[in-house]
Amino acid sequence: MTLIVGEVRKLLTIRTALWFATASVALAVLNVVLVSLASGTLDEVGEKQEALGGLPLLLVFFGVVAVTAEYRHHTAAPAVLVSGRGRGVVVAARLGATVVVGLGLAVLTTGAAFAVGVPILASHHPGPDLTAAQLTSLAGGCVLAGTLSVLVGAALGGLLRNQIAAVVAGIVVYFVVPSLVGMISASVVDYTPFGSLQVLTGGVHGAAHSVAASALALAAWAVGLAAFAVLAERHRDLG
């Protein structure tokens, strides 16, 4: 726990979290404004949920940058030596801290999108307004999707160590993999990271799988990659 607290403090004292918070909120607000005002009439519940949800893909890259910065600035090895703990333990703490900060970013981004989008949808579009239960469920899905996406990005960063390679890997996992899977079985796409993300954020209408199933799928991807990153670190050189 001490290691995680220290890693959280480190993330909050550098500009990475601030820049990503600013960019994530700006993009979320821009997305909900454009979709709400430039997409014609949104008169169905699903369409309004999609307008609010967006896709928190920028948070994937926050996870990548937060972890790979240690290797880019050559501070990963000193951090292990100073902590007196094993490399795997330090990486696990770093991933945990990134998720904690990522949770805050996901909450901030979702809150900003809802604060701007809900009044616009209520005043500019016909049909039923979203109920408190629907808004709560959607907000929870968006926060969960954003937080797990941070963990996916952090795990890829821990695995590859190289920032550019990890960003490319994130793009492949979220965009290329679903396309390839879709060629084999369209029903399995909802279990890919991007497919799960869309279900959780209301971007898919009539998905083949439930929100709970998609949440478990995205969690499995995130936790699996994180575990692989920790195990891989234990068998690498310290440098």
Side-chain angles (χ1 to χ4, degrees):
M1 182 59 70
T2 302
L3 284 177
I4 294 178
V5 172
E7 291 292 334
V8 168
R9 288 177 177 173
K10 186 190 300 181
L11 283 174
L12 294 179
T13 55
I14 60 178
R15 295 181 179 179
T16 300
L18 176 60
W19 282 115
F20 270 95
T22 303
S24 296
V25 168
L27 287 177
V29 170
L30 179 62
N31 174 77
V32 73
V33 169
L34 289 178
V35 173
S36 299
L37 297 180
S39 297
T41 300
L42 305 177
D43 55 2
E44 297 180 4
V45 169
E47 293 175 334
K48 293 180 179 182
Q49 288 177 322
E50 183 177 359
L52 288 175
L55 288 175
L57 291 178
L58 189 60
L59 297 182
V60 177
F61 303 125
F62 166 72
V64 168
V65 172
V67 172
T68 55
E70 295 284 351
Y71 303 104
R72 181 182 178 185
H73 298 293
H74 305 291
T75 56
V80 172
L81 294 174
V82 170
S83 70
R85 309 294 290 274
R87 297 191 295 276
V89 174
V90 174
V91 169
R94 187 170 298 135
L95 294 178
T98 304
V99 169
V100 170
V101 177
L103 172 60
L105 293 179
V107 170
L108 183 63
T109 301
T110 301
F114 277 52
V116 173
V118 171
I120 293 177
L121 291 173
S123 60
H124 287 75
H125 296 280
D129 292 333
L130 296 176
T131 65
Q134 290 168 334
L135 289 171
T136 301
S137 176
L138 179 61
C142 291
V143 171
L144 180 61
T147 305
L148 290 176
S149 293
V150 169
L151 181 55
V152 170
L156 290 173
L159 276 171
L160 300 176
R161 293 188 173 189
N162 182 278
Q163 198 167 98
I164 296 177
V167 167
V168 172
I171 294 173
V172 170
V173 168
Y174 274 86
F175 292 104
V176 178
V177 169
S179 299
L180 296 176
V181 171
M183 295 178 183
I184 302 173
S185 174
S187 63
V188 181
V189 173
D190 289 343
Y191 284 138
T192 64
F194 184 72
S196 301
L197 192 72
Q198 284 191 305
V199 174
L200 289 173
T201 58
V204 175
H205 306 298
H209 307 292
S210 67
V211 172
S214 296
L216 288 174
L218 185 56
W221 277 91
V223 174
L225 287 170
F228 191 22
V230 172
L231 291 175
E233 185 68 18
R234 294 175 61 184
H235 296 88
R236 285 171 169 166
D237 294 332
L238 188 59

